[in-house]
């Protein structure tokens, strides 16, 4: 009788570091059985059963055995424990006593946040499984990744597509660890406040010894709807620093998506302001917190009043993956969302905006009512007459002259469906709030 007490699970993805992963295999056996005189531990390719590394002779102590293995990035692999009566029998000819299947060595991504992170969009879209993309399903066991990734919490989401895109470009397996909870406020992800989902997230990762390459964080709608946008930056910053500390990864990269529009529910000036404050907090986090990366989803097709639809998920997943490839792996061109850099009053009724991270800005709106900008001055909101785009600039023409200090915002409020996008990457601009307009 031989039993494994410590080993990778079936379908598990082991986090690689510098091209390999090191792990321990341990178990118990019957030392009185002469066929157990020598125990070998090895890893073979599931493609052709060829050894991936040299076989390791396990150390024994009474009725226990253990071995340490270092396995290169790749897969899928099969872990084998074999026994022989003497060292005259080669490991490949020894008796197979135990095995673990479909193991990969690659990169793992933790998923946290609320409904658009867990993926509750209604409807269906083709997004087939990839044998090299695995998931820690229901926080309980590793499996091949299919929708829903977390059967208790979601339907379809962008992250299977995200992982498949990374796997294709990197050439090795990707693992997903879903922990997001629909409707969850950020206080449930802060250990100094309620923190229930934060503790579950840390227990899932640390309790199972899962290594991470990065985190996907998509959250903020709850704070926007409840009027807590003004404090969101501080809470987001606290979450990031504490998650990095408690997950044992001080520089853990975090990939995020600015909250999208909301076309039903509460309707008030306070909600529109709070929605914009959360977006601005996310934008500022990407500008001030190292390793926090942000993109947009304003071109997503919604499946209801607030949730990104399944037809959009593959596109959004690939968008986040391309952002990760550039910033985390140094692969491909920069794939960042256009971001406001400057606003200048060039005439009493004209403002020039300058954006970064783009080739040429284009617009879907064709009439003055569709302009995705909001200008405010001492008299209040300044009506906009028209705008034009050229290279990295947007030229706003106002319906009246500016009076006093002015600010400009982009994609203000929770319902604004009009946006500008980069013609090269096809990514909509980041929403922004209260960019000061300086005088030339």
């Amino acid at each position: 009788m031989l039993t494994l007490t410590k080993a990778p699970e079936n379908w598990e993805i082991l986090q690689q570091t510098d091209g390999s992963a090191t792990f321990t295999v341990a178990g118990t056996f019957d030392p009185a059985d002469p066929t157990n005189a020598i125990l070998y531990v090895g890893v073979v390719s599931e493609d052709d059963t060829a050894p991936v590394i040299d076989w390791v002779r396990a150390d024994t102590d009474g009725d226990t055995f253990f071995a340490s293995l270092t396995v290169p990035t790749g897969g899928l692999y099969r872990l084998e424990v074999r026994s022989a009566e003497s060292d005259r029998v080669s490991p490949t000819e020894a008796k197979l006593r135990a095995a673990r299947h479909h193991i990969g060595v690659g990169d793992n991504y933790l998923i946290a946040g609320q409904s658009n992170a867990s993926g509750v969009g209604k409807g269906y879209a083709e997004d087939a499984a990839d044998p090299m993309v695995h998931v820690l399903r229901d926080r309980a066991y590793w499996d091949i990744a299919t929708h829903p990734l977390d059967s208790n919490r979601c339907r379809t989401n962008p992250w299977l597509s995200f992982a498949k895109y990374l796997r294709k470009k990197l050439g090795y397996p990707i693992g997903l660890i879903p922990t997001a909870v629909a409707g969850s406020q950020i206080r449930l992800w802060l250990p100094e406040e309620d923190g229930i989902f934060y503790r579950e997230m840390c227990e899932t990762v640390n309790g199972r010894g899962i290594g991470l390459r990065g985190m996907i964080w998509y959250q903020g709608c709850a704070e926007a709807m409840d009027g807590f946008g003004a404090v969101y930056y501080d809470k987001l910053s606290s979450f990031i620093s504490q998650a990095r500390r408690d997950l044992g990864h001080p520089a853990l990269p975090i990939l995020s998506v600015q909250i999208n529009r909301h076309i039903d529910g509460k309707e008030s000036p306070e909600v529109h302001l709070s929605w914009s404050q959360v977006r601005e907090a996310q934008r500022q986090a990407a500008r001030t917190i190292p390793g926090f990366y942000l993109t947009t989803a304003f071109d997503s097709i919604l499946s209801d009043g607030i949730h990104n639809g399944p037809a959009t998920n593959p596109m959004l997943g690939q968008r986040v993956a391309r952002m990760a490839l550039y910033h985390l792996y140094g692969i491909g061109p920069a794939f960042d969302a256009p971001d406001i850099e400057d606003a200048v009053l060039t005439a009493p009724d004209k403002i020039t905006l300058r954006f970064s991270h783009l080739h040429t800005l284009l617009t879907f709106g064709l009439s003055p009512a569709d302009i995705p900008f909001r200008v405010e001055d001492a008299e209040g909101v300044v009506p906009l007459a028209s705008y034009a785009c050229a290279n990295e600039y947007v030229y706003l023409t106002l319906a009246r002259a500016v009076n006093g200090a002015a600010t400009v915002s982009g994609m203000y409020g929770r319902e604004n469906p009009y946006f500008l996008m980069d013609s090269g990457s096809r990514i909509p601009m980041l929403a922004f709030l209260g960019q000061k307009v300086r005088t030339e």
Side-chain angles (χ1 to χ4, degrees), residues 88-107:
R88 291 190 298 272
V89 179
S90 70
T92 55
E93 295 173 337
K95 181 180 179 181
L96 179 62
R97 303 300 301 275
R100 294 288 171 83
H101 302 270
H102 320 311
I103 298 167
V105 177
D107 284 339

Side-chain angles (χ1 to χ4, degrees), residues 117-405:
S118 64
V120 298
K122 302 175 179 66
Y124 305 93
E126 184 175 348
D127 192 11
D130 182 328
M132 299 277 275
V133 175
H134 302 175
V135 61
L136 182 66
R137 197 176 296 283
D138 300 333
R139 308 188 186 192
Y141 61 97
W142 284 93
D143 193 8
I144 188 170
T146 59
H147 292 297
L149 295 182
D150 188 340
S151 59
N152 290 328
R153 303 172 190 267
C154 67
R155 298 180 185 178
T156 64
N157 65 33
W159 316 128
L160 176 54
S161 175
F162 162 85
K164 290 193 298 184
Y165 196 88
L166 284 186
R167 196 280 305 165
K168 179 180 178 181
K169 296 298 183 180
L170 298 173
Y172 55 70
I174 301 294
L176 299 171
I177 300 93
T179 65
V181 182
S184 57
Q185 297 176 330
I186 199 169
R187 64 180 178 83
L188 301 172
W189 297 93
L190 292 173
E192 70 270 23
E193 297 189 32
D194 187 297
I196 181 173
F197 298 138
Y198 180 87
R199 291 190 293 274
E200 289 182 1
M201 176 189 73
C202 292
E203 181 180 353
T204 297
V205 174
N206 296 334
R208 303 179 73 95
I210 298 172
L212 298 175
R213 182 63 179 91
M215 175 194 290
I216 296 167
W217 169 257
Y218 195 169
Q219 195 275 340
C221 295
E223 280 63 42
M225 288 302 293
D226 293 338
F228 297 123
V231 298
Y232 190 76
Y233 178 89
D234 290 339
K235 292 181 180 292
L236 176 59
S237 179
S238 177
F239 167 77
I240 292 170
S241 62
Q242 293 183 91
R244 286 172 167 171
R245 178 198 66 198
D246 293 339
L247 294 172
H249 199 321
L252 181 70
I254 298 176
L255 310 167
S256 192
V257 182
Q258 205 172 37
I259 60 172
N260 202 353
R261 61 192 184 277
H262 186 188
I263 58 176
D264 60 13
K266 295 180 182 179
E267 179 68 38
S268 70
E270 291 77 18
V271 168
H272 285 293
L273 174 60
S274 184
W275 208 268
S276 294
Q277 287 172 328
V278 169
R279 288 172 173 164
E280 178 64 14
Q282 294 172 317
R283 189 179 80 93
Q284 289 301 326
R287 296 173 74 92
T288 60
I289 300 176
F292 181 85
Y293 306 104
L294 185 67
T295 191
T296 59
F298 297 130
D299 52 343
S300 296
I301 300 172
L302 300 183
S303 65
D304 54 24
I306 192 171
H307 297 115
N308 299 328
T312 293
N313 287 336
M315 174 274 292
L316 183 57
Q318 291 178 22
R319 178 174 295 171
V320 177
R322 292 182 68 177
M323 182 171 67
L325 284 170
Y326 179 77
H327 289 288
L328 277 59
Y329 301 93
I331 296 174
F335 211 72
D336 295 325
D339 193 9
I340 185 72
E341 291 293 339
D342 196 14
V344 181
L345 186 69
T346 57
D349 63 344
K350 296 184 185 299
I351 296 174
T352 298
L353 310 179
R354 180 173 61 85
F355 286 79
S356 59
H357 307 144
L358 71 144
H359 300 282
T360 301
L361 285 175
L362 302 176
T363 180
F364 289 154
L366 299 177
S367 70
D370 296 342
I371 300 175
F373 300 106
R374 174 187 174 103
V375 176
E376 297 177 81
D377 65 3
E379 297 181 22
V381 177
V382 182
L384 301 179
S386 64
Y387 73 97
C389 305
N391 298 320
E392 70 267 36
Y393 297 101
V394 174
Y395 304 97
L396 301 179
T397 299
L398 313 179
R400 65 169 173 82
V402 168
N403 181 7

